Amino acid sequence: MNRIFPVRSSLALSVMLIFAAVGNAQKPAKPIFDGKSWWDHVKVIADDSMEGRETGSLGLRKAEAYAIEQLKRAGLEPAGTDDFYQNVKFVQRQIDEKNSYAFLAANGQANPIALGDDAFFSTRVEGSDDEINAPLVFAGNGLRVPENGVDDLEGLDLKGRVVVYLAGSPSTVPGSLAAHYGGLGQRWKNYAAGGAVGMIVIPNPASMDIPWSRLSLNRTHPSMDLADPEFNEIAGLKIALVFNPASAEALFAGSGHSFAEVAALGRERKPLPHFDLKVSLKACAAIQKINLDSANIVGKLSGSDATLKNEYVVLSAHIDHIGIGEPVNGDSIYNGAMDDGSGTAAVLDIAASLKQHPEKLKRSILFLLVTAEEKGLLGSKYFAAHPTVDAKSVIADINIDMFLPIVPLKVLRVQGINDSTLGERAAAIAQSFAVKAVADPEPLRNLFVRSDQYNFIRHGIPSVIMDVFYEPESPEAKIFKDWLTLRYHAPSDDVNQTVDLKSAALYEEIVRRLLLETANAGERPQWKPDSFFKRYAQTQAK
Ligand SMILES: [Zn+2]
C-alpha cells in the first residue's frame, strides 16, 4: 500500500456500513485453497534475497522472474509487450540533504528548520536548483470539492506562495470525494491554477498511520515518477515539505492562530480557518535525478466465448516494495511480506488454481503484477494508460493489496462496494461465504486512491479492492492498529509474523469466485448512477 501524504482516522469506525446481500450468489463449493501454497509463495517473494523488491532493483527482477515461472507453470500465455514483461521507464529523485536547507523567516530573522526532526523535503516535485523565497498561506485541508461547496482556497492569494495544509477532510465530504480531490495531482492542479510554487503538508496528528520518527527515517530514500512527460501532474511544483505536527506551531507564529487550535478542529473533522501566515519559507532542495527501468508482468488466460473472450477481467497486485532502508532493530530489509507479497502470492495461487481446477470461462482474465506501486501507483498508471490489450476491452479490475489475513476472515472490507455492480457482486459473494461485507469506515485514510485500482477507476473501469477487516472496538481492531504501527512499511513486515492461513484461503475463495462470476456474467460490470467515480467512465466514452 502506498503512503504518500499519509493520514489515518482514529474516529470514524462508527460509520461502519453493513451491506445487506441482495444478489443470489451460488452456494460455495468445496474449498480449493488451504493457505499453504499461498504462504509458500509469500515466503519466496518476501525472502531477504529479494532485498525488499525496490522498483528498478535486482531484487525486484528476481521476484518477477519467480512470478513469471509460476504464471507459466499455471499455463498462462504471455500478454506483455516483451513476453510477460511490459517495460516502464522511470525518473528517480533523491534528496541531497547535505546541500539542502530550509528556514522560516519573519521580521528579518530566519530560523532553521531541522531536516528530519522538524520537517523533510518531499522529492515528488519537479524541483528547482534555485533558492525559494515564498510567503506561506494556510489553506485548512487545502481541498476544493465543488460537489459539496467546500473551497479551502476561496479568497486566498496563492500567487508565488507555498500552500500549507493539514491532511484530512471535513466530515461533510464523503470519503471518495476527499480521496479524489486530496490526491497530489488534483491538489496541485488547484494550487498551480492560483499561481502557488509549493506546498507543505502537516500530517493530522490525531490520525497518523506511522509515527513521525519512522516517517522521517526513510526521507532520503529515492522517489520516482514515470519518465514520459504525458504523466507529469506536478508541473511548476518547485518545493514540497512534510512538516512534523510537533514542530508545526512555528508555522503559525504571529498569525493570530495556533496549530493547537487547527489540530483540535482537524481531530473533529470540523471546517478549518484559512488565512495568511506571517512567516515565509526560504529553502533550497538539492535533488539528484537518474533514469531507470522496471516492468509490469502480464499473463493471460483466454476465455472460450467467441465474442466475450476479447474482453478482459484484470486481477492485479503490486509486486514491488520499498527495498533496503534505514535499519529498525538491526534489520534493514523491508521485505513487504503483506505489502504486497500477500497480494502477489494470491495472484499466483489463483492462477495456479485455475489450472488445477479448470473452469469454462467466457471472458479472458489478465493476471497483472505491477511495479512501482510504492512510488505512487506508477506501474498501474502506466498500464491503465497503455494496456497491452485493447483499452476498451478491459471490463473490471479486482485489485489485491495487503489484504492482511492476520485474524479470521469474518468481516471483509470492500472498497467500491456501493460504486458498481462489481462491488455489489463482491459483497454478495462474501455473504454467501458467511462473511460480512462492509464499506470503508475510515475515509480519512484515503485508501481508495492509495492502491492500483484507482488508475483503472480513472480510466472508467469498475474496480474493487478487498481486505480482511474487523468489528469496531473489537480485539481484532487492536491487532490491526498494532500491525499498522509496528509492521506497516517496516522491516518487520516479513515472514516471521503470524498469519492466519485459513483466513487467507477463504479470502482467495472469495476473489476466485468474484473473478469467475465476472468473467462469465452476461453483462459487463456497470457503475452505479450515483457513484462519484462514474464521471471517469463518461469522460472516457467521449
Ligand atoms: Zn506499501
Side-chain angles (χ1 to χ4, degrees), residues 19-229:
F19 187 88
V22 286
N24 45 354
Q26 300 159 296
K27 272 264 170 298
K30 209 163 159 274
I32 285 175
F33 302 98
D34 59 6
K36 291 193 192 91
S37 51
W38 167 79
W39 184 237
D40 285 343
H41 288 311
V42 176
K43 283 195 278 198
V44 176
I45 295 157
D47 190 79
D48 277 356
S49 64
M50 303 296 178
E51 299 179 332
R53 307 186 306 282
E54 168 101 279
T55 298
S57 73
L58 226 59
L60 178 58
R61 286 280 170 189
K62 217 169 141 182
E64 291 191 331
Y66 171 78
I68 290 173
E69 200 50 49
Q70 299 305 312
L71 295 179
K72 278 185 183 161
R73 201 174 287 182
L76 300 195
E77 303 160 53
T81 49
D82 174 15
D83 200 41
F84 280 89
Y85 292 102
Q86 178 187 41
N87 293 305
V88 187
K89 293 196 178 311
F90 295 93
V91 57
Q92 174 179 288
R93 302 191 190 90
Q94 189 167 24
I95 189 77
D96 172 11
E97 257 188 16
K98 278 198 242 43
N99 290 307
S100 306
Y101 55 83
F103 292 87
L104 289 179
N107 309 319
Q109 266 212 324
N111 295 314
I113 295 170
L115 296 178
D117 288 342
D118 294 333
F120 58 85
F121 287 109
S122 163
T123 50
R124 301 210 57 217
V125 298
E126 202 171 49
S128 166
D129 293 336
D130 304 331
E131 182 178 279
I132 307 285
N133 276 289
L136 303 182
V137 54
F138 183 68
N141 294 127
L143 291 173
R144 180 173 274 165
V145 187
E147 289 85 346
N148 285 60
V150 169
D151 189 355
D152 284 335
L153 308 178
E154 192 183 7
L156 293 180
D157 178 10
L158 305 185
K159 185 127 192 70
R161 295 179 179 220
V162 170
V163 176
V164 180
Y165 69 92
L166 180 72
S169 58
S171 57
T172 50
V173 178
S176 53
L177 281 174
H180 170 71
Y181 288 107
L184 177 63
Q186 191 65 37
R187 193 180 274 284
W188 179 245
K189 203 166 151 187
N190 291 336
Y191 303 170
V197 296
M199 57 168 89
I200 295 177
V201 57
I202 311 169
N204 193 328
S207 56
M208 286 170 76
D209 266 354
I210 299 181
W212 176 263
S213 55
R214 211 146 66 62
L215 202 58
S216 146
L217 201 58
N218 281 312
R219 66 189 184 277
T220 56
H221 217 74
S223 75
M224 272 179 217
D225 255 322
L226 291 165
D228 195 321

Side-chain angles (χ1 to χ4, degrees), residues 1-3 318 320-322 336 338-340 373-375 401-402 450 488-489 493:
M1 188 163 69
N2 188 274
R3 63 156 181 80
H318 74 89
D320 69 298
H321 192 55
I322 56 176
M338 293 299 107
D339 185 10
D340 184 27
E373 190 274 351
E374 301 288 5
K375 307 299 179 186
D401 188 0
M402 213 175 97
R450 279 171 66 187
Y488 174 51
H489 278 212
D493 178 15

Side-chain angles (χ1 to χ4, degrees), residues 34-35 408-409 499-507:
D34 59 6
L409 174 49
V499 291
D500 184 326
L501 296 186
K502 275 193 193 142
S503 180
L506 179 51
Y507 178 88

Side-chain angles (χ1 to χ4, degrees), residues 260-477:
E261 163 204 335
V262 165
L265 293 168
R267 186 177 307 122
E268 306 294 325
R269 299 189 70 197
K270 288 184 175 154
L272 303 178
H274 327 141
F275 47 88
D276 288 345
L277 294 167
K278 295 298 176 215
V279 293
S280 61
L281 178 70
K282 175 180 147 97
C284 180
I287 294 172
Q288 295 162 342
K289 293 184 201 176
I290 57 167
N291 295 315
L292 52 84
D293 292 290
S294 187
N296 295 323
I297 303 296
V298 203
K300 177 169 89 168
L301 184 63
S302 291
S304 56
D305 182 276
T307 315
L308 292 179
K309 72 174 183 193
N310 297 315
E311 295 186 350
Y312 296 87
V313 183
V314 175
L315 178 65
S316 57
H318 74 89
I319 187 165
D320 69 298
H321 192 55
I322 56 176
I324 295 173
E326 289 297 321
V328 178
N329 299 326
D331 185 3
S332 61
I333 301 177
Y334 288 64
N335 304 78
M338 293 299 107
D339 185 10
D340 184 27
S342 66
T344 301
V347 169
L348 301 180
D349 207 29
I350 291 168
S353 83
L354 288 165
K355 182 165 188 193
Q356 286 152 5
H357 307 269
E359 293 271 347
K360 201 166 160 117
L361 294 172
K362 287 183 179 154
R363 294 187 179 83
S364 301
I365 297 176
L366 280 189
F367 294 83
L368 173 66
L369 297 173
V370 296
T371 185
E373 190 274 351
E374 301 288 5
K375 307 299 179 186
L377 320 183
L378 300 178
S380 58
K381 192 175 187 178
Y382 189 85
F383 182 87
H386 300 284
T388 55
V389 296
D390 176 18
K392 290 197 184 68
S393 70
V394 179
I395 66 151
D397 175 46
I398 300 162
N399 188 41
I400 308 176
D401 188 0
M402 213 175 97
F403 68 94
L404 288 185
I406 54 175
V407 302
L409 174 49
K410 292 178 185 145
V411 181
L412 184 74
R413 178 170 58 182
V414 181
Q415 295 189 62
I417 192 169
N418 296 317
D419 290 292
S420 71
T421 54
L422 181 68
E424 200 171 54
R425 179 180 293 139
I429 290 170
Q431 215 79 15
S432 76
F433 283 93
V435 171
K436 181 162 121 186
V438 299
D440 183 10
E442 299 177 282
L444 276 189
R445 290 181 68 204
N446 279 353
L447 291 179
F448 209 36
V449 305
R450 279 171 66 187
S451 192
D452 295 302
Q453 72 283 346
Y454 192 53
N455 285 314
F456 288 90
I457 292 168
R458 290 180 68 168
H459 284 268
I461 299 161
S463 306
V464 287
I465 179 167
M466 305 186 285
D467 48 14
V468 178
F469 213 62
Y470 48 84
E471 299 286 1
E473 318 285 339
S474 63
E476 289 80 19

